[in-house]
Amino acid sequence: MAVGNDLPTARRTIDATGLTLSPGFIDMHAHSDLQILANPDHTAKVSQGVTLEVLGQDGLSFAPIDDPTRAAIRRQIAGWNGEPDDFDFSWSTVAGYLDRLDQGIACNAAYLVPQGTLRMMVVGTENRPATPAELAQMVDLLTQALRDGAVGMSSGLTYTPGMFATTDELVELCRVVAQYGGYYAPHQRSYGQGALGAYGEMVEVARRSGCALHLTHAVMNFAPNQGRGADLVAMIDKALGDGLDVTTDTYPYLPGATTLAATLPSWTAEGGPDAQLDRLRDPATRARIAHEMEQVGSDGCHGCVIEWDTIEIGGVRNPALGDAVGRTVAALAADSGKRATDVFFDLLIADDLGTSILQHVGHEDNVRTIMQHPSHTGGSDAILVGGKPHPRSWGTFPRYLGRYVRELGVLELADCIHHLTGRAARRLRLTDRGLVRVGYHADLVLFDAETVHDTATFDNPRQQAEGIPYVFVNGVPVIDDGHRTDDLPGRAIRRTDV
Protein backbone atom coordinates (compact mmCIF):
# COMPACT_ATOMS: atom_id res chain seq x y z
CA MET A 1 0.00 0.00 0.00
CA ALA A 2 1.06 3.59 -0.59
CA VAL A 3 -0.21 7.08 0.24
CA GLY A 4 -0.14 10.09 -2.07
CA ASN A 5 -1.23 11.41 -5.45
CA ASP A 6 1.36 9.82 -7.76
CA LEU A 7 0.71 6.14 -7.02
CA PRO A 8 1.63 2.92 -8.83
CA THR A 9 -1.07 0.87 -10.49
CA ALA A 10 -3.05 -0.98 -7.86
CA ARG A 11 -3.62 -4.72 -7.91
CA ARG A 12 -7.03 -4.07 -6.39
CA THR A 13 -9.27 -1.03 -6.01
CA ILE A 14 -11.84 -0.62 -3.21
CA ASP A 15 -14.67 1.83 -3.66
CA ALA A 16 -14.58 3.71 -0.34
CA THR A 17 -17.24 6.27 -1.23
CA GLY A 18 -19.01 7.35 1.94
CA LEU A 19 -16.46 5.65 4.21
CA THR A 20 -13.94 7.15 6.61
CA LEU A 21 -10.32 6.04 6.37
CA SER A 22 -8.60 5.75 9.74
CA PRO A 23 -5.39 4.30 11.09
CA GLY A 24 -5.99 0.94 12.74
CA PHE A 25 -7.28 1.11 16.30
CA ILE A 26 -4.87 0.32 19.13
CA ASP A 27 -6.25 -1.59 22.10
CA MET A 28 -4.11 -0.42 24.99
CA HIS A 29 -5.47 -3.02 27.44
CA ALA A 30 -6.12 -6.53 26.11
CA HIS A 31 -6.33 -9.94 27.78
CA SER A 32 -5.78 -12.03 24.64
CA ASP A 33 -2.45 -13.44 25.81
CA LEU A 34 -3.39 -17.07 25.12
CA GLN A 35 -6.50 -16.66 23.00
CA ILE A 36 -4.64 -14.82 20.23
CA LEU A 37 -2.54 -18.01 19.87
CA ALA A 38 -5.17 -20.66 20.61
CA ASN A 39 -7.78 -19.04 18.34
CA PRO A 40 -5.78 -16.93 15.88
CA ASP A 41 -8.88 -16.01 13.86
CA HIS A 42 -9.38 -13.33 16.55
CA THR A 43 -12.53 -11.98 14.90
CA ALA A 44 -13.69 -10.28 18.09
CA LYS A 45 -10.85 -7.80 17.85
CA VAL A 46 -10.09 -7.34 14.17
CA SER A 47 -13.78 -6.92 13.30
CA GLN A 48 -13.73 -3.82 15.55
CA GLY A 49 -10.85 -2.37 13.57
CA VAL A 50 -8.18 -3.32 16.12
CA THR A 51 -4.84 -3.75 14.39
CA LEU A 52 -2.62 -3.73 17.49
CA GLU A 53 -3.25 -4.75 21.07
CA VAL A 54 -1.13 -4.57 24.22
CA LEU A 55 -0.91 -7.83 26.20
CA GLY A 56 0.61 -8.77 29.56
CA GLN A 57 -1.84 -6.67 31.53
CA ASP A 58 -2.72 -6.42 35.23
CA GLY A 59 0.53 -7.94 36.43
CA LEU A 60 -0.31 -11.55 35.52
CA SER A 61 0.74 -13.26 32.32
CA PHE A 62 3.00 -15.92 30.89
CA ALA A 63 6.44 -14.45 30.22
CA PRO A 64 8.97 -14.53 31.70
CA ILE A 65 7.94 -17.66 33.59
CA ASP A 66 9.09 -20.96 35.03
CA ASP A 67 7.15 -24.20 35.21
CA PRO A 68 5.74 -23.92 38.78
CA THR A 69 4.69 -20.31 38.20
CA ARG A 70 3.09 -21.19 34.87
CA ALA A 71 0.91 -23.80 36.53
CA ALA A 72 -0.17 -21.37 39.25
CA ILE A 73 -0.82 -18.49 36.86
CA ARG A 74 -2.83 -20.67 34.46
CA ARG A 75 -5.07 -21.66 37.34
CA GLN A 76 -5.32 -18.17 38.81
CA ILE A 77 -6.36 -16.42 35.60
CA ALA A 78 -8.24 -19.18 33.80
CA GLY A 79 -11.22 -16.81 33.97
CA TRP A 80 -9.26 -14.37 31.78
CA ASN A 81 -7.62 -16.75 29.33
CA GLY A 82 -9.59 -19.99 29.45
CA GLU A 83 -7.87 -23.36 29.39
CA PRO A 84 -6.94 -23.99 25.73
CA ASP A 85 -6.80 -27.73 24.95
CA ASP A 86 -3.38 -29.23 24.20
CA PHE A 87 -1.81 -25.79 24.33
CA ASP A 88 1.91 -25.65 23.61
CA PHE A 89 3.67 -23.54 26.25
CA SER A 90 7.02 -23.82 24.54
CA TRP A 91 8.45 -20.53 25.80
CA SER A 92 9.77 -19.27 29.12
CA THR A 93 11.07 -15.82 28.16
CA VAL A 94 9.54 -12.70 26.67
CA ALA A 95 11.67 -13.26 23.58
CA GLY A 96 10.20 -16.74 23.23
CA TYR A 97 6.64 -15.49 23.64
CA LEU A 98 7.14 -12.74 21.06
CA ASP A 99 8.67 -15.25 18.67
CA ARG A 100 5.60 -17.43 19.15
CA LEU A 101 3.36 -14.49 18.24
CA ASP A 102 5.38 -14.02 15.07
CA GLN A 103 4.35 -17.48 13.89
CA GLY A 104 0.93 -16.11 12.90
CA ILE A 105 -1.62 -13.84 14.57
CA ALA A 106 -4.50 -11.77 13.25
CA CYS A 107 -3.35 -8.37 14.51
CA ASN A 108 -0.12 -6.93 15.87
CA ALA A 109 0.67 -7.33 19.56
CA ALA A 110 2.96 -5.61 22.06
CA TYR A 111 3.72 -6.97 25.52
CA LEU A 112 4.12 -5.62 29.05
CA VAL A 113 6.20 -7.47 31.68
CA PRO A 114 3.78 -8.64 34.42
CA GLN A 115 5.10 -7.55 37.82
CA GLY A 116 2.95 -10.07 39.71
CA THR A 117 4.42 -12.93 37.70
CA LEU A 118 7.94 -11.69 38.48
CA ARG A 119 7.08 -11.61 42.16
CA MET A 120 5.58 -15.10 42.12
CA MET A 121 8.72 -16.48 40.49
CA VAL A 122 11.02 -14.86 43.04
CA VAL A 123 9.07 -14.29 46.29
CA GLY A 124 6.13 -16.64 45.89
CA THR A 125 2.71 -15.74 47.26
CA GLU A 126 3.80 -14.50 50.68
CA ASN A 127 2.52 -11.16 51.96
CA ARG A 128 5.81 -9.51 52.84
CA PRO A 129 8.30 -7.06 51.36
CA ALA A 130 10.86 -8.49 48.99
CA THR A 131 14.36 -8.82 50.42
CA PRO A 132 17.17 -6.86 48.73
CA ALA A 133 18.38 -10.06 47.09
CA GLU A 134 14.87 -10.88 45.83
CA LEU A 135 14.39 -7.37 44.50
CA ALA A 136 17.72 -7.64 42.68
CA GLN A 137 16.54 -10.92 41.12
CA MET A 138 13.29 -9.30 39.96
CA VAL A 139 15.28 -6.41 38.51
CA ASP A 140 17.41 -8.88 36.54
CA LEU A 141 14.34 -10.67 35.18
CA LEU A 142 12.70 -7.37 34.27
CA THR A 143 15.85 -6.07 32.58
CA GLN A 144 16.12 -9.14 30.39
CA ALA A 145 12.41 -8.99 29.51
CA LEU A 146 12.76 -5.37 28.40
CA ARG A 147 15.84 -6.27 26.37
CA ASP A 148 13.76 -9.03 24.80
CA GLY A 149 11.33 -6.42 23.50
CA ALA A 150 8.65 -5.72 26.13
CA VAL A 151 7.31 -2.15 25.95
CA GLY A 152 6.95 -1.67 29.69
CA MET A 153 5.62 -3.27 32.89
CA SER A 154 2.15 -3.86 34.27
CA SER A 155 0.92 -4.48 37.81
CA GLY A 156 -2.22 -5.95 39.29
CA LEU A 157 -2.24 -4.43 42.76
CA THR A 158 -5.53 -6.01 43.77
CA TYR A 159 -4.34 -9.46 42.61
CA THR A 160 -2.05 -11.95 44.32
CA PRO A 161 0.91 -11.68 44.55
CA GLY A 162 1.47 -8.28 42.90
CA MET A 163 -0.60 -6.62 45.61
CA PHE A 164 2.05 -7.51 48.20
CA ALA A 165 4.64 -5.20 46.61
CA THR A 166 5.44 -2.02 48.53
CA THR A 167 5.58 1.39 46.90
CA ASP A 168 9.37 1.35 47.25
CA GLU A 169 9.56 -1.99 45.43
CA LEU A 170 7.46 -0.63 42.56
CA VAL A 171 9.66 2.46 42.35
CA GLU A 172 12.82 0.35 41.98
CA LEU A 173 11.27 -1.75 39.23
CA CYS A 174 9.96 1.32 37.42
CA ARG A 175 13.42 2.88 37.43
CA VAL A 176 14.50 -0.04 35.25
CA VAL A 177 11.49 0.43 32.96
CA ALA A 178 12.38 4.10 32.58
CA GLN A 179 15.97 3.25 31.63
CA TYR A 180 14.64 1.26 28.68
CA GLY A 181 12.17 3.89 27.52
CA GLY A 182 9.13 1.87 28.59
CA TYR A 183 6.04 2.80 30.57
CA TYR A 184 4.29 1.54 33.70
CA ALA A 185 0.67 0.37 33.38
CA PRO A 186 -0.71 -0.36 36.85
CA HIS A 187 -4.02 -1.84 37.85
CA GLN A 188 -3.88 0.08 41.11
CA ARG A 189 -4.81 -0.89 44.66
CA SER A 190 -8.38 0.45 44.57
CA TYR A 191 -10.97 1.73 42.12
CA GLY A 192 -13.54 2.20 44.86
CA GLN A 193 -13.32 3.59 48.39
CA GLY A 194 -9.63 4.40 48.11
CA ALA A 195 -9.44 5.18 44.39
CA LEU A 196 -7.94 8.67 44.55
CA GLY A 197 -5.35 7.60 47.09
CA ALA A 198 -4.45 4.64 44.92
CA TYR A 199 -4.08 6.87 41.85
CA GLY A 200 -1.94 9.15 43.99
CA GLU A 201 0.39 6.28 44.85
CA MET A 202 0.86 5.53 41.15
CA VAL A 203 1.69 9.17 40.44
CA GLU A 204 4.22 9.03 43.29
CA VAL A 205 5.82 5.94 41.73
CA ALA A 206 6.14 7.79 38.44
CA ARG A 207 7.51 10.90 40.13
CA ARG A 208 10.15 9.02 42.13
CA SER A 209 11.20 6.62 39.37
CA GLY A 210 11.08 8.97 36.38
CA CYS A 211 8.99 6.39 34.55
CA ALA A 212 6.15 7.20 32.14
CA LEU A 213 2.79 6.29 33.67
CA HIS A 214 -0.23 4.86 31.87
CA LEU A 215 -3.30 4.64 34.11
CA THR A 216 -4.99 1.65 32.62
CA HIS A 217 -8.78 1.17 32.73
CA ALA A 218 -8.91 4.55 34.46
CA VAL A 219 -12.29 4.54 36.17
CA MET A 220 -13.93 5.92 39.29
CA ASN A 221 -16.35 3.15 40.27
CA PHE A 222 -18.62 2.13 43.15
CA ALA A 223 -21.00 4.35 45.13
CA PRO A 224 -18.36 6.50 46.89
CA ASN A 225 -17.08 7.79 43.53
CA GLN A 226 -20.31 9.00 41.96
CA GLY A 227 -19.51 12.30 40.21
CA ARG A 228 -15.81 12.21 41.09
CA GLY A 229 -14.33 11.72 37.62
CA ALA A 230 -13.32 15.38 37.66
CA ASP A 231 -11.19 14.74 40.76
CA LEU A 232 -9.14 12.18 38.85
CA VAL A 233 -8.80 14.54 35.90
CA ALA A 234 -7.56 17.27 38.24
CA MET A 235 -4.93 14.91 39.64
CA ILE A 236 -3.76 14.01 36.13
CA ASP A 237 -3.59 17.69 35.16
CA LYS A 238 -1.50 18.43 38.24
CA ALA A 239 0.91 15.60 37.40
CA LEU A 240 1.19 16.78 33.78
CA GLY A 241 1.78 20.30 34.97
CA ASP A 242 4.62 19.02 37.12
CA GLY A 243 6.27 17.53 34.05
CA LEU A 244 5.25 13.90 34.50
CA ASP A 245 4.40 11.77 31.45
CA VAL A 246 0.89 10.44 32.18
CA THR A 247 -1.70 8.85 29.91
CA THR A 248 -4.87 6.82 30.47
CA ASP A 249 -7.11 4.30 28.77
CA THR A 250 -10.78 3.48 29.31
CA TYR A 251 -13.58 1.33 27.92
CA PRO A 252 -16.95 2.97 27.09
CA TYR A 253 -19.13 0.85 29.39
CA LEU A 254 -20.28 0.99 32.99
CA PRO A 255 -19.68 -2.57 34.27
CA GLY A 256 -16.20 -3.90 34.85
CA ALA A 257 -15.06 -7.51 34.53
CA THR A 258 -12.71 -9.67 36.55
CA THR A 259 -12.62 -13.02 38.32
CA LEU A 260 -15.02 -13.87 41.13
CA ALA A 261 -12.08 -14.79 43.36
CA ALA A 262 -10.67 -11.28 42.97
CA THR A 263 -13.46 -9.92 45.19
CA LEU A 264 -12.19 -11.92 48.17
CA PRO A 265 -10.09 -10.22 50.87
CA SER A 266 -6.45 -10.32 49.85
CA TRP A 267 -5.34 -12.23 52.96
CA THR A 268 -7.30 -15.27 51.76
CA ALA A 269 -4.94 -15.66 48.78
CA GLU A 270 -1.70 -16.08 50.74
CA GLY A 271 -0.11 -19.43 50.01
CA GLY A 272 -1.73 -19.87 46.59
CA PRO A 273 -4.95 -21.34 45.20
CA ASP A 274 -5.04 -24.54 47.29
CA ALA A 275 -4.59 -22.61 50.53
CA GLN A 276 -7.31 -20.20 49.45
CA LEU A 277 -9.73 -23.04 48.69
CA ASP A 278 -9.04 -24.58 52.10
CA ARG A 279 -9.99 -21.28 53.73
CA LEU A 280 -13.23 -21.19 51.73
CA ARG A 281 -14.15 -24.64 53.04
CA ASP A 282 -13.59 -23.74 56.70
CA PRO A 283 -16.83 -22.56 58.44
CA ALA A 284 -15.11 -20.15 60.80
CA THR A 285 -13.04 -18.59 58.04
CA ARG A 286 -16.12 -18.33 55.82
CA ALA A 287 -17.86 -16.39 58.57
CA ARG A 288 -14.88 -14.04 58.89
CA ILE A 289 -14.78 -13.47 55.13
CA ALA A 290 -18.54 -12.90 54.94
CA HIS A 291 -18.36 -10.28 57.71
CA GLU A 292 -15.49 -8.47 56.02
CA MET A 293 -17.15 -8.47 52.62
CA GLU A 294 -20.72 -7.65 53.68
CA GLN A 295 -20.17 -5.43 56.71
CA VAL A 296 -16.70 -3.86 56.55
CA GLY A 297 -15.75 -3.69 52.88
CA SER A 298 -12.83 -5.86 51.81
CA ASP A 299 -9.88 -4.76 49.72
CA GLY A 300 -10.96 -7.33 47.13
CA CYS A 301 -14.06 -5.22 46.58
CA HIS A 302 -11.98 -2.04 46.57
CA GLY A 303 -12.88 -1.16 50.16
CA CYS A 304 -16.62 -1.19 49.47
CA VAL A 305 -19.28 -3.40 50.99
CA ILE A 306 -20.18 -5.95 48.34
CA GLU A 307 -23.58 -5.75 46.67
CA TRP A 308 -24.47 -9.21 45.41
CA ASP A 309 -26.95 -7.92 42.86
CA THR A 310 -24.04 -6.20 41.03
CA ILE A 311 -22.02 -9.44 40.65
CA GLU A 312 -23.05 -11.25 37.44
CA ILE A 313 -21.46 -14.55 36.46
CA GLY A 314 -19.79 -14.20 33.07
CA GLY A 315 -18.13 -17.57 32.63
CA VAL A 316 -17.27 -20.80 34.43
CA ARG A 317 -14.47 -23.32 34.08
CA ASN A 318 -16.67 -26.26 35.19
CA PRO A 319 -19.34 -26.96 32.54
CA ALA A 320 -21.67 -28.35 35.22
CA LEU A 321 -22.03 -24.81 36.55
CA GLY A 322 -23.19 -23.36 33.24
CA ASP A 323 -26.66 -22.49 34.55
CA ALA A 324 -25.05 -19.81 36.73
CA VAL A 325 -23.80 -17.85 33.72
CA GLY A 326 -25.72 -14.63 33.18
CA ARG A 327 -27.17 -14.69 36.71
CA THR A 328 -26.24 -12.46 39.63
CA VAL A 329 -25.12 -13.96 42.92
CA ALA A 330 -28.20 -12.37 44.49
CA ALA A 331 -30.50 -14.13 42.01
CA LEU A 332 -28.75 -17.48 42.50
CA ALA A 333 -29.15 -17.09 46.25
CA ALA A 334 -32.86 -16.25 45.96
CA ASP A 335 -33.50 -19.30 43.78
CA SER A 336 -31.54 -21.68 46.02
CA GLY A 337 -32.69 -20.33 49.38
CA LYS A 338 -29.05 -20.01 50.48
CA ARG A 339 -27.25 -16.99 51.83
CA ALA A 340 -25.49 -15.09 49.07
CA THR A 341 -22.09 -15.65 50.68
CA ASP A 342 -22.66 -19.42 50.73
CA VAL A 343 -23.58 -19.36 47.03
CA PHE A 344 -20.41 -17.34 46.46
CA PHE A 345 -18.14 -19.69 48.42
CA ASP A 346 -19.66 -22.85 46.97
CA LEU A 347 -19.36 -21.57 43.41
CA LEU A 348 -15.70 -20.68 43.86
CA ILE A 349 -14.95 -24.12 45.30
CA ALA A 350 -16.88 -26.02 42.63
CA ASP A 351 -15.24 -23.96 39.87
CA ASP A 352 -11.72 -24.19 41.31
CA LEU A 353 -11.59 -20.36 41.45
CA GLY A 354 -12.05 -20.18 37.66
CA THR A 355 -15.25 -18.11 37.56
CA SER A 356 -15.31 -14.79 35.70
CA ILE A 357 -17.76 -12.00 36.48
CA LEU A 358 -19.19 -8.70 35.33
CA GLN A 359 -19.35 -6.13 38.11
CA HIS A 360 -22.04 -3.47 37.60
CA VAL A 361 -20.49 -0.60 39.56
CA GLY A 362 -19.75 2.18 37.02
CA HIS A 363 -21.07 5.74 36.58
CA GLU A 364 -21.85 7.29 33.18
CA ASP A 365 -20.81 10.80 34.17
CA ASN A 366 -17.36 9.57 35.22
CA VAL A 367 -16.94 7.56 32.01
CA ARG A 368 -17.66 10.64 29.88
CA THR A 369 -15.48 12.98 31.94
CA ILE A 370 -12.41 10.75 31.78
CA MET A 371 -12.70 9.88 28.07
CA GLN A 372 -12.69 13.58 27.14
CA HIS A 373 -9.29 14.22 28.71
CA PRO A 374 -6.32 14.80 26.36
CA SER A 375 -4.41 11.96 28.04
CA HIS A 376 -7.03 9.40 27.04
CA THR A 377 -6.66 6.35 24.79
CA GLY A 378 -8.91 3.33 24.21
CA GLY A 379 -8.55 -0.01 25.96
CA SER A 380 -11.11 -2.79 25.86
CA ASP A 381 -9.96 -4.75 28.94
CA ALA A 382 -11.59 -7.58 26.99
CA ILE A 383 -11.92 -11.11 28.32
CA LEU A 384 -12.74 -13.31 25.33
CA VAL A 385 -13.70 -16.51 27.15
CA GLY A 386 -16.76 -17.57 29.14
CA GLY A 387 -20.42 -18.14 28.38
CA LYS A 388 -21.31 -14.46 28.54
CA PRO A 389 -18.19 -12.30 28.43
CA HIS A 390 -18.40 -8.54 28.68
CA PRO A 391 -19.66 -7.06 25.36
CA ARG A 392 -16.62 -4.79 25.29
CA SER A 393 -14.79 -7.83 23.92
CA TRP A 394 -16.57 -7.29 20.58
CA GLY A 395 -17.84 -3.72 20.84
CA THR A 396 -15.44 -1.26 22.47
CA PHE A 397 -14.13 0.65 19.46
CA PRO A 398 -17.35 0.87 17.39
CA ARG A 399 -19.13 1.94 20.58
CA TYR A 400 -16.82 4.91 20.89
CA LEU A 401 -17.55 5.88 17.28
CA GLY A 402 -21.29 5.18 17.30
CA ARG A 403 -22.52 6.08 20.77
CA TYR A 404 -20.03 8.61 22.08
CA VAL A 405 -19.30 10.40 18.79
CA ARG A 406 -22.38 10.21 16.59
CA GLU A 407 -25.19 9.76 19.11
CA LEU A 408 -24.02 11.69 22.18
CA GLY A 409 -21.43 14.08 20.75
CA VAL A 410 -19.12 13.56 23.72
CA LEU A 411 -16.15 13.43 21.32
CA GLU A 412 -15.68 14.83 17.83
CA LEU A 413 -14.97 12.17 15.21
CA ALA A 414 -11.43 13.28 14.35
CA ASP A 415 -10.55 13.68 18.03
CA CYS A 416 -11.93 10.25 18.88
CA ILE A 417 -9.94 8.62 16.08
CA HIS A 418 -6.80 10.26 17.43
CA HIS A 419 -7.57 8.90 20.92
CA LEU A 420 -7.82 5.39 19.47
CA THR A 421 -4.83 5.58 17.11
CA GLY A 422 -2.14 8.27 17.06
CA ARG A 423 -2.25 9.08 20.76
CA ALA A 424 -1.94 5.39 21.67
CA ALA A 425 0.91 4.95 19.18
CA ARG A 426 2.73 7.86 20.80
CA ARG A 427 2.46 6.21 24.22
CA LEU A 428 3.99 3.06 22.71
CA ARG A 429 6.69 5.21 21.06
CA LEU A 430 5.79 3.86 17.64
CA THR A 431 7.29 5.87 14.81
CA ASP A 432 5.66 3.98 11.95
CA ARG A 433 2.09 3.25 13.10
CA GLY A 434 -0.91 5.23 14.33
CA LEU A 435 -1.15 7.59 11.36
CA VAL A 436 -1.98 7.35 7.65
CA ARG A 437 1.32 8.59 6.30
CA VAL A 438 3.97 7.74 3.72
CA GLY A 439 6.38 5.18 5.15
CA TYR A 440 3.99 3.96 7.84
CA HIS A 441 2.73 0.39 8.08
CA ALA A 442 -0.67 -0.03 6.45
CA ASP A 443 -2.71 -0.74 9.57
CA LEU A 444 -5.98 0.76 8.33
CA VAL A 445 -9.73 0.77 8.93
CA LEU A 446 -12.52 1.83 6.58
CA PHE A 447 -15.77 2.50 8.44
CA ASP A 448 -19.09 4.23 7.84
CA ALA A 449 -19.29 7.10 10.31
CA GLU A 450 -23.07 7.32 9.78
CA THR A 451 -23.83 3.72 10.66
CA VAL A 452 -20.92 2.25 12.66
CA HIS A 453 -22.09 0.84 15.98
CA ASP A 454 -21.61 -2.03 18.38
CA THR A 455 -24.18 -4.83 18.30
CA ALA A 456 -22.75 -6.86 21.19
CA THR A 457 -25.02 -6.81 24.25
CA PHE A 458 -24.81 -8.22 27.76
CA ASP A 459 -27.33 -10.90 26.78
CA ASN A 460 -25.68 -11.64 23.42
CA PRO A 461 -22.08 -10.43 23.64
CA ARG A 462 -20.42 -12.23 20.71
CA GLN A 463 -21.84 -10.06 17.94
CA GLN A 464 -19.78 -8.42 15.20
CA ALA A 465 -20.04 -4.66 14.92
CA GLU A 466 -21.76 -3.07 11.94
CA GLY A 467 -20.35 -0.37 9.70
CA ILE A 468 -16.72 -1.60 9.56
CA PRO A 469 -16.39 -3.32 6.17
CA TYR A 470 -12.58 -3.26 5.76
CA VAL A 471 -9.67 -3.73 8.15
CA PHE A 472 -6.03 -4.09 7.04
CA VAL A 473 -3.12 -5.29 9.16
CA ASN A 474 0.31 -4.62 7.66
CA GLY A 475 -1.40 -4.03 4.33
CA VAL A 476 -3.27 -7.34 4.31
CA PRO A 477 -7.08 -7.42 4.58
CA VAL A 478 -8.31 -9.27 7.66
CA ILE A 479 -11.88 -7.96 7.31
CA ASP A 480 -12.92 -7.77 3.65
CA ASP A 481 -16.42 -6.53 2.77
CA GLY A 482 -17.44 -7.30 6.35
CA HIS A 483 -16.09 -10.85 6.39
CA ARG A 484 -13.07 -12.32 8.17
CA THR A 485 -10.39 -13.54 5.78
CA ASP A 486 -8.03 -16.42 6.49
CA ASP A 487 -4.94 -14.23 6.72
CA LEU A 488 -2.77 -13.87 9.83
CA PRO A 489 -0.54 -10.89 8.98
CA GLY A 490 0.06 -9.61 12.51
CA ARG A 491 3.40 -9.73 14.27
CA ALA A 492 4.95 -8.96 17.62
CA ILE A 493 5.84 -5.30 18.16
CA ARG A 494 9.10 -5.25 20.10
CA ARG A 495 10.50 -2.34 22.07
CA THR A 496 13.55 -2.40 19.79
CA ASP A 497 11.18 -1.80 16.87
CA VAL A 498 10.10 1.59 18.21
Side-chain angles (χ1 to χ4, degrees):
M1 288 190 174
V3 179
N5 295 318
D6 185 16
L7 299 177
T9 301
R11 292 196 301 269
R12 178 185 176 191
T13 300
I14 294 172
D15 184 357
T17 303
L19 300 179
T20 298
L21 176 66
S22 167
F25 305 137
I26 298 175
D27 188 343
M28 289 295 291
H29 190 107
H31 285 287
S32 310
D33 305 43
L34 298 187
Q35 288 299 310
I36 197 172
L37 295 170
N39 298 290
D41 176 81
H42 217 40
T43 303
K45 288 302 187 67
V46 295
S47 66
Q48 296 181 54
V50 172
T51 59
L52 192 162
E53 56 184 7
V54 184
L55 310 175
Q57 302 287 349
D58 293 340
L60 293 167
S61 190
F62 299 96
I65 206 160
D66 54 29
D67 289 341
T69 305
R70 181 186 295 112
I73 294 290
R74 285 191 71 181
R75 191 174 177 190
Q76 182 173 351
I77 58 174
W80 294 357
N81 291 277
E83 288 277 41
D85 294 333
D86 300 321
F87 192 79
D88 177 19
F89 282 98
S90 57
W91 69 86
S92 60
T93 63
V94 168
Y97 179 65
L98 297 179
D99 287 346
R100 179 71 180 276
L101 293 175
D102 276 338
Q103 293 177 17
I105 52 179
C107 66
N108 303 306
Y111 186 76
L112 295 164
V113 185
Q115 171 258 328
T117 301
L118 297 182
R119 204 173 207 275
M120 188 178 291
M121 291 173 69
V122 175
V123 184
T125 57
E126 298 177 48
N127 183 3
R128 62 170 176 81
T131 67
E134 289 167 339
L135 181 55
Q137 189 175 349
M138 285 189 280
V139 164
D140 287 345
L141 287 168
L142 174 60
T143 299
Q144 185 59 56
L146 292 164
R147 288 174 176 168
D148 285 348
V151 296
M153 183 181 77
S154 74
S155 285
L157 300 178
T158 65
Y159 300 124
T160 306
M163 63 171 63
F164 301 141
T166 64
T167 304
D168 288 344
E169 182 178 317
L170 297 174
V171 168
E172 290 306 309
L173 294 173
C174 282
R175 284 181 175 139
V176 178
V177 176
Q179 289 171 11
Y180 284 86
Y183 68 93
Y184 180 41
H187 168 122
Q188 61 190 50
R189 299 189 196 275
S190 175
Y191 291 90
Q193 189 71 48
L196 285 176
Y199 280 118
E201 181 193 14
M202 298 301 95
V203 172
E204 178 189 354
V205 169
R207 192 183 307 275
R208 290 172 55 190
S209 67
C211 188
L213 176 64
H214 183 76
L215 298 172
T216 196
H217 45 50
V219 295
M220 293 287 286
N221 284 343
F222 300 91
N225 290 319
Q226 175 70 51
R228 301 194 70 189
D231 295 340
L232 173 57
V233 166
M235 180 181 291
I236 294 169
D237 285 338
K238 173 64 165 60
L240 292 170
D242 290 344
L244 274 63
D245 182 357
V246 183
T247 51
T248 64
D249 70 60
T250 71
Y251 48 82
Y253 297 86
L254 301 189
T258 186
T259 60
L260 187 61
T263 63
L264 285 162
S266 60
W267 58 264
T268 68
E270 289 187 55
D274 288 330
Q276 189 170 42
L277 286 167
D278 287 343
R279 293 183 180 105
L280 299 184
R281 295 185 181 100
D282 177 65
T285 308
R286 283 167 75 124
R288 176 187 171 190
I289 296 169
H291 174 75
E292 187 168 333
M293 295 183 71
E294 295 184 322
Q295 305 297 323
V296 178
S298 81
D299 54 358
C301 200
H302 303 269
C304 297
V305 171
I306 199 160
E307 299 178 50
W308 296 114
D309 60 349
T310 68
I311 307 296
E312 178 184 349
I313 307 305
V316 292
R317 171 190 273 177
N318 182 349
L321 303 172
D323 287 346
V325 174
R327 311 287 307 285
T328 65
V329 172
L332 293 170
D335 287 352
S336 66
K338 296 181 180 179
R339 294 178 63 231
T341 46
D342 288 328
V343 170
F344 170 71
F345 295 136
D346 293 346
L347 183 57
L348 284 170
I349 293 168
D351 209 24
D352 195 35
L353 305 176
T355 312
S356 62
I357 62 169
L358 281 69
Q359 200 164 9
H360 296 267
V361 291
H363 305 291
E364 179 68 22
D365 56 338
N366 290 345
V367 169
R368 297 189 194 190
T369 296
I370 296 167
M371 75 167 60
Q372 290 176 295
H373 194 266
S375 69
H376 174 262
T377 65
S380 70
D381 197 9
I383 294 172
L384 301 177
V385 301
K388 284 191 175 181
H390 198 301
R392 65 193 183 192
S393 302
W394 287 74
T396 292
F397 293 87
R399 185 173 176 83
Y400 268 116
L401 298 168
R403 177 168 175 76
Y404 287 93
V405 172
R406 186 180 63 247
E407 296 176 7
L408 299 178
V410 175
L411 296 170
E412 295 292 333
L413 179 61
D415 186 35
C416 182
I417 290 173
H418 187 53
H419 284 229
L420 307 180
T421 61
R423 188 175 295 169
R426 187 166 64 242
R427 162 48 70 222
L428 293 166
R429 298 194 176 184
L430 301 177
T431 58
D432 55 5
R433 298 179 195 270
L435 299 173
V436 179
R437 179 175 289 178
V438 174
Y440 275 52
H441 290 276
D443 293 343
L444 302 169
V445 182
L446 280 167
F447 67 90
D448 187 338
E450 298 301 319
T451 64
V452 62
H453 70 282
D454 57 309
T455 65
T457 66
F458 289 98
D459 287 334
N460 197 0
R462 289 186 171 93
Q463 298 297 307
Q464 184 171 332
E466 294 184 357
I468 305 179
Y470 297 98
V471 181
F472 300 86
V473 175
N474 295 319
V476 177
V478 291
I479 299 294
D480 193 341
D481 197 22
H483 302 289
R484 178 69 177 92
T485 69
D486 295 330
D487 293 301
L488 299 173
R491 68 174 184 89
I493 304 299
R494 293 166 173 80
R495 187 192 55 82
T496 52
D497 291 346
V498 305

